[in-house]
Structure formats: C-alpha cells, structure tokens
C-alpha cells in the first residue's frame, strides 16, 4: 500500500470512529483520495448506514406545487428572470389528488416543494397543510418553499408541518453571494437556525460543482452541517440549465457528489440522506451509487405529469414521464436490485423526539 493510501485509510478510520476530522485532515482526503481511498470511504459510509438505519431506503412523495418564484438564484431554471418558463400553480384540490394517489401507493410522507411564490399566503399554506393532515393522519409533511419569516415558519409548524427543507446551497458566503441576486447568506443561515428552534426536523444541503466552487468551499459545507446538525441533508450535483448564465459551464460530477455523500454519512451518522433526482440525472445509476455510499432516502415525483417538465430547475431531469404507480414499482425494483429494501413509513430521523 502506498504511503498516502495509508494516511487516507487512517484518516477515514478516525472519521468512522469519532465522526470528526480537523480542517487539514479533510483537505488532505479531498486532495489525495484516489481509487483506493474512494472505495474505502464508501465501504465505511455503508457500514455506518447499516449500523444506524440498516438496509432501508425511505420513500418520500414529492409534490412540486408551484414553479413561480420571486428569487433570482442564477443557477436555477425557474428563477424570476427566466421568461421561457411556462408557469403553473396547483390548487388545493390538485394537491390533494396527488396525496391521494401517493397515499394509495403507500407513501406516508409528502414533500411540498415550490419556488418562493407570494400567491400562497400563509393562510393558504396553512389551509393546505391542515387539509392534508386531516385526511391522512399518519403522514409526515415536509415543506420546502424557501426563506420565510420566523412567524411564518411558526404558523406552518403549528398547522402540522413536521419537516422543512432549505438547502444552504453553499456555506461559502462569497460564493453564495455570487450565485444569488436577491438572497442574503446570513438570512438563509438564520432561517435554518430558526427552523431548528421552532422544532422542525430540518434539512439543509448544498450543490457540488457550482462554477468556481473550491475544495475549501466544500469543507465549509461539511463543517457548517456538523455545527447545524440537521436531521436531513440534500446533496446533489450542480447541473447547468440552458436559460441561465451557467448554461455553458460544466456540471458537478458523480464522483465528487458520491464522495460528499459518503463523507456526510460519516460526519453525521444519523442523518437522512437522499440520493437526489439530480444525481440520478447525471448518471443512469447515480441514485443506486448514492445509496451504496450511505444515502438512505429517495423522493419520487407525485406531481401531475402535465406539470413535471415545467418544474425545470436544471435540464435532463429524470422520471418526468412516469406515472406515480409505475415510478413506485420501478424505484422499488432498482433499490432491491442494488441490495437494499424500501421503507414506506414516515421515516423520521431515529434520533428524533418531538
Ligand atoms: N424554493 C425552495 C426550493 C428550491 S428547489 C428553496 O429556496 O429552498 C430545490 C433545490 O434544487 C435547491 O435548493 C437547489 O439546491 C437545487 N437546484 C436548483 N437549481 C439547480 C441546478 N441548476 N442544478 C442542481 N440543483 C439545483
């Protein structure tokens, strides 16, 4: 074994045992990982997930209920600047139809995601939540509608929302400000702390391979997440969208994303870690590879087929045409083929006590 392989192995062992590393140690891993290191990292991440959650992969039904957005995140295809988007909104009845179909297929978690769309006042959001919770008492609801005030987050929570997804996108303030025109780094981070304080199960996360992103930026992401200690972390490759300024840029790679997933599993052993749609988009077996590297959540799409292509954050998105039922069968097949099992329960973080 080469000397740097030995060092990498030692560092990964330390991380595996203590769930911690120093900045310099993590930088060493990212700079020297190589084939051997990657395999060893993935193996340790897999062992950790097996110890904590076993071979289960939790399923969440994703409903993308609006692609209107007032924000100008320059990488995102549905930003306010993009005049080529065919905008849509789902009403209460349409959302309930998605839930209905999902519930029949066994889903017990619905993720309501959308752009930042003022059309949905707090009252409207509360009404939607209460209606879903009333019909399906044994389901968990996750909301993902961006940056809101403390008071709004509190209202949604009191209406019954269990979880909130708000990726921090990047923990480098400088990079964050480069890629967001009307969003402020401090505010986004404060939102995450507010959500925690209110009592949500919180999901943060970041993109891998944002143009100009450095290894140091990725280390900041990991250290920030270690400090925040969220229940969920969404990590996906950046994928260029044709209508954005990044249309000619390279996207994030499968390899880099897998390394970040595996590292996160070791830094936060209890975390719920999705194998994201974006990962499945850049490689036909991206999600399976993510699952083998410690990911344990998949979020199939329950949005009405007619609107799916319109929720275009990036190009080439997978599964835009499958019926929810078809998709449910297909994904189960794939997860089992990869050697894991599907879990349709609410799938709370096992450390979670409300
Ligand atoms: N409006 C909500 C939901 C955002 S969409 C919010 O602000 O949180 C969900 C995620 O898609 C984003 O957090 C972002 O990380 C990801 N995303 C957006 N554009 C992307 C792109 N071009 N490539 C990869 N991921 C992207």
């Amino acid at each position: 074994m080469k000397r740097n392989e030995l060092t990498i192995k030692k560092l990964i062992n330390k991380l595996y045992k203590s769930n911690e590393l120093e900045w310099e140690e993590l930088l060493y891993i990212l700079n020297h990982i190589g084939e051997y290191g990657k395999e060893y990292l993935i193996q340790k991440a897999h062992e950790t997930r097996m110890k904590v959650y076993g071979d289960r992969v939790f399923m969440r039904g994703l409903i993308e209920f609006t692609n209107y957005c007032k924000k100008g995140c320059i990488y995102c295809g549905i930003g306010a600047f993009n005049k080529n988007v065919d905008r849509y909104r789902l009403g209460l009845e349409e959302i309930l139809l998605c839930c209905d179909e999902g519930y029949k297929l066994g889903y017990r978690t619905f993720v309501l995601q959308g752009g930042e769309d003022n059309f949905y006042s707090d009252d409207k959001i509360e009404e939607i939540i209460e209606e879903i919770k009333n019909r399906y008492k044994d389901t968990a609801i996750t909301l993902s509608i961006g940056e809101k005030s403390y008071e709004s987050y509190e209202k949604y929570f009191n209406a019954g929302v269990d979880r909130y997804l708000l990726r921090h996108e990047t923990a480098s303030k400088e990079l964050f400000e480069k890629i967001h025109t009307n969003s402020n780094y401090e505010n986004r981070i404060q939102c995450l702390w507010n959500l925690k304080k209110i009592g949500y199960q919180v999901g943060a996360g970041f993109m891998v391979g944002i143009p100009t992103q450095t290894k140091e930026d990725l280390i900041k992401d990991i250290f920030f997440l270690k400090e925040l200690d969220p229940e969920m972390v969404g990590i996906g490759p950046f994928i260029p969208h044709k209508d954005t300024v990044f249309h000619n840029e390279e996207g994030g790679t499968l390899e880099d994303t897998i390394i970040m997933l595996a590292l996160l599993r070791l830094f936060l052993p209890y975390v719920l870690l999705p194998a994201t749609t974006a990962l499945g988009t850049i490689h036909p077996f991206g999600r399976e590879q993510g699952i083998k590297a410690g990911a344990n959540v998949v979020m199939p799409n329950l949005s009405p087929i007619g609107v799916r292509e319109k929720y275009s954050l990036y190009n080439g998105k997978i599964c835009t045409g499958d019926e929810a039922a078809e998709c449910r069968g297909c994904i189960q097949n794939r997860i089992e083929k990869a050697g894991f099992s599907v879990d349709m329960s609410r799938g709370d973080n096992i450390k979670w006590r409300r």
Side-chain angles (χ1 to χ4, degrees), residues 69 71 73 75-78 113-116 144-147 164-167 169 188 205-207 234 236-241 244 278 311 313-315:
C69 190
K71 283 288 170 74
C73 311
Y75 48 88
C76 178
I78 65 166
Q113 188 174 76
E116 288 194 22
S144 177
I145 54 174
E147 296 165 43
Y164 202 100
L165 301 181
L166 185 81
R167 289 189 178 176
E169 312 296 1
R188 191 135 184 124
F206 59 97
M207 286 177 289
F238 155 73
I239 303 175
H241 184 286
T244 66
Y311 198 82
L313 308 176
Y314 44 81
N315 295 125

Side-chain angles (χ1 to χ4, degrees), residues 136-151:
Y136 315 105
K137 299 205 163 34
D138 54 345
T139 57
I141 298 183
T142 306
L143 203 55
S144 177
I145 54 174
E147 296 165 43
K148 303 277 173 179
S149 68
Y150 190 95
E151 292 68 36

Side-chain angles (χ1 to χ4, degrees), residues 199-257:
Y200 285 96
Q201 295 184 53
V202 174
F206 59 97
M207 286 177 289
V208 178
I210 304 167
T212 76
Q213 186 181 41
T214 62
K215 293 196 171 78
E216 283 78 4
D217 293 338
L218 293 168
I219 298 178
K220 283 185 193 163
D221 286 315
I222 292 183
F223 276 51
F224 167 67
L225 290 167
K226 187 74 187 165
E227 184 196 347
L228 181 72
D229 193 23
E231 281 71 30
M232 305 163 281
V233 171
I235 302 175
F238 155 73
I239 303 175
H241 184 286
K242 63 177 176 38
D243 296 330
T244 66
V245 289
F246 286 153
H247 63 279
N248 278 331
E249 298 288 337
E250 299 271 310
T253 65
L254 175 71
E255 196 178 323
D256 289 348
T257 311

Side-chain angles (χ1 to χ4, degrees), residues 276-299:
T276 57
T277 309
L279 190 59
T281 299
I282 61 166
H283 187 279
F285 292 103
R287 282 186 302 192
E288 281 89 339
Q289 293 200 34
I291 292 168
K292 289 178 178 169
N296 62 343
V297 172
V298 172
M299 294 163 58

